Amino acid sequence: MSQVDQLVSELSSQFRGEAGGAAGGLEALARSFLEAKLVALSNGSSSTEQQEAHQKRLLFDIIDASIVDQVGLATSTAVLQELVCLVDRPEHGLSMSAQQEILLHLLSKIQQRQMAYDGVITGTRKALAKALAAEEKWDEAARQLQSIRFEQSQGAPNIDSVFPVYIWTTQLFLQAENLEQAVLSLNRAAANIMQVSDVEQIMQYRFIQARVLSLTHKYIEAAIIYNNIFQTNTRDAAGQLEVLGQAINCAVLAAASPQKMRVLSGLHREKLAPTLPSFGLMEKMVLKRLIKPTELEQFSQQLEKHQRELVAGGKTTLLGSAVREHNVFVLSALYTSIRFENLGRLLGIDTEEAELMCARMIAEGRMKGRIDQIAGIITFEGAREVKEVSAAISMKRQAAVQPPPMHFRETVHARWDGRIGNLCQSIEDAVDMLIERQPVYARTLFRRVA
């Protein structure tokens, strides 16, 4: 009789009375059965390598014996679940490679029987992912977790057990620098986030979400999420500073836009912000001051690798591009119009590059202006609004020592009313001129309107 046949006989006889009993009794009996087999095996005198080889052979045979028809499904499931837990325990001294071989052998035997061994397959893939991650095989570990099909499980999957697997998978793909798969895994988690009630899991999800957004260069979205985490996580002071620093870095790197200025202004008001080395550069952006290239070196030292990537064909970095766009915003408040030759000199770039950057910002709706390519001039529109925003920010900074005058709101309303009145007067003048110079056309036009 082979060892597999002998094990089949032992499993059939020892578990016969417990097959219809409670799950806890089966699990305890399965644990005792496996422990007894390993203890009996360890009593023999052999080297460590031989001992591991014998253990591996024994567990292979137990797997093969558990899935034959003579062994009931309840017994088989209990034995295999306990075997996965046993392999995962460090006290048994199995090497990572031996653990992987045993778990892969188990998967090869039962993965085609998803309905029967659903829980065992899930546990095996988790244990295998853990063993692979211990050897820094991040991508292989993540793909084991990705292969778990919760939607094919019997009954509705428990969100408390499903969601952490999605988060773990995303983390492993990020460590493997497989950004595409990390995004897909994060999307699976996002589809279930509204059902999660555990605060720690939600916070972990937010951290990973912000990380993925930063890696995909969606810096303004990442800054907003980091800021939300900063506002929520008030217990860990050191963690708060780190998150606030990440929020500032992402906001600074974001493309110039009114939304960027709103986010930066909010971060600038935080009490902890002045304690960070990134505060100086952020403050210059908030106060609409020109930033010199020499001021970027200190700030760039605290950026992550992906945040220091070269852009524009390797001519500049993300930080350099963001600062140039900021400087264009500042110059749009100082100049009504400017030649691209002079603009390029102020920004430290050539004329053509300055024109392309301004054209892109206008086309994307991040700046108002008109470009005269023949004359090589850009005319900034909305310079008055930029100055008003800058003045409003300055007033907020001085609010503690010098509150705004009581008539400020009335003054703004009066100016607005005056502009509406001027617009109406201009329309009326235009109509009068039309009637005076083109009476026939005017009568025809008014008849159509009537």
Side-chain angles (χ1 to χ4, degrees), residues 18 49 58 136 138 150 158 209 238 263 288 295 316 382 413:
E18 297 287 340
E49 292 79 8
L58 172 64
E136 298 186 2
W138 313 119
F150 292 108
N158 183 3
Q209 185 185 30
V263 174
K288 300 290 193 303
E295 300 177 65
T316 184
H413 287 170

Side-chain angles (χ1 to χ4, degrees), residues 63-171:
I63 291 170
D64 295 341
S66 298
I67 60 175
V68 300
D69 294 337
Q70 292 94 317
V71 179
L73 180 60
T75 300
S76 175
T77 301
V79 171
L80 294 178
Q81 283 179 334
E82 288 302 318
L83 185 144
V84 171
C85 295
L86 181 145
V87 170
D88 195 31
R89 290 185 207 137
E91 60 265 23
H92 292 293
L94 288 170
S95 65
M96 289 299 169
S97 60
Q99 290 182 32
Q100 293 171 32
E101 288 182 52
I102 294 166
L103 294 171
L104 285 170
H105 179 74
L106 174 56
L107 274 180
S108 68
K109 296 293 183 178
I110 64 174
Q111 64 183 348
Q112 300 302 324
R113 302 170 67 181
Q114 175 77 32
M115 299 298 292
Y117 293 106
D118 177 44
V120 180
I121 293 173
T122 300
T124 303
R125 291 198 183 279
K126 289 180 180 179
L128 186 55
K130 183 179 177 182
L132 289 166
E135 294 186 338
E136 298 186 2
K137 298 177 181 178
W138 313 119
D139 195 78
E140 293 180 46
R143 292 189 184 279
Q144 286 297 329
L145 296 177
Q146 194 179 45
S147 299
I148 299 175
R149 294 289 177 258
F150 292 108
E151 64 276 5
Q152 297 178 5
S153 302
Q154 297 180 8
N158 183 3
I159 194 63
D160 292 330
S161 60
V162 171
F163 192 77
V165 174
Y166 292 153
I167 295 297
W168 187 13
T169 307
T170 308
Q171 288 176 319

Side-chain angles (χ1 to χ4, degrees), residues 394-407:
S394 299
M395 290 183 65
K396 287 180 180 179
R397 288 176 54 81
Q398 298 170 3
V401 294
Q402 184 179 355
M406 295 297 293
H407 65 277

Side-chain angles (χ1 to χ4, degrees), residues 198-248:
D198 187 274
V199 177
E200 293 298 326
Q201 288 186 14
I202 294 173
M203 191 69 67
Q204 193 176 19
Y205 166 79
R206 296 298 180 198
F207 268 112
I208 295 175
Q209 185 185 30
R211 173 73 176 164
V212 169
L213 288 170
S214 175
L215 286 167
T216 52
H217 304 310
K218 298 178 180 178
Y219 288 115
I220 194 64
E221 294 93 336
I224 291 171
I225 294 176
Y226 275 128
N227 189 28
N228 290 339
I229 296 172
F230 169 75
Q231 302 293 341
T232 305
N233 183 24
T234 57
R235 293 176 295 177
D236 183 7
Q240 267 198 311
L241 273 177
E242 182 180 354
V243 172
L244 181 60
Q246 289 285 3
I248 292 174

Side-chain angles (χ1 to χ4, degrees), residues 296-314:
L296 304 184
E297 185 176 351
Q298 181 180 1
F299 186 89
S300 62
Q301 291 175 357
Q302 59 191 326
L303 297 177
E304 298 182 46
K305 179 182 177 181
H306 71 277
Q307 295 174 335
R308 296 195 297 268
E309 290 181 2
L310 295 175
V311 295

Side-chain angles (χ1 to χ4, degrees), residues 10-27:
E10 291 181 24
L11 287 170
S12 300
S13 60
Q14 291 189 27
F15 288 80
R16 184 179 297 112
E18 297 287 340
L26 272 175
E27 291 172 2

Side-chain angles (χ1 to χ4, degrees), residues 351-400:
T351 303
E352 183 180 355
E353 194 174 351
E355 181 179 346
L356 288 173
M357 182 172 63
C358 291
R360 185 178 65 252
M361 293 175 68
I362 293 172
E364 293 173 356
R366 295 189 283 121
M367 184 176 69
K368 297 179 181 179
R370 300 192 313 273
I371 293 176
D372 185 342
Q373 288 186 306
I374 297 176
I377 294 175
I378 179 171
T379 301
F380 297 110
E381 297 177 359
R384 182 182 300 174
E385 287 82 349
V386 175
K387 290 179 179 178
E388 288 176 356
V389 171
S390 181
I393 293 172
S394 299
M395 290 183 65
K396 287 180 180 179
R397 288 176 54 81
Q398 298 170 3

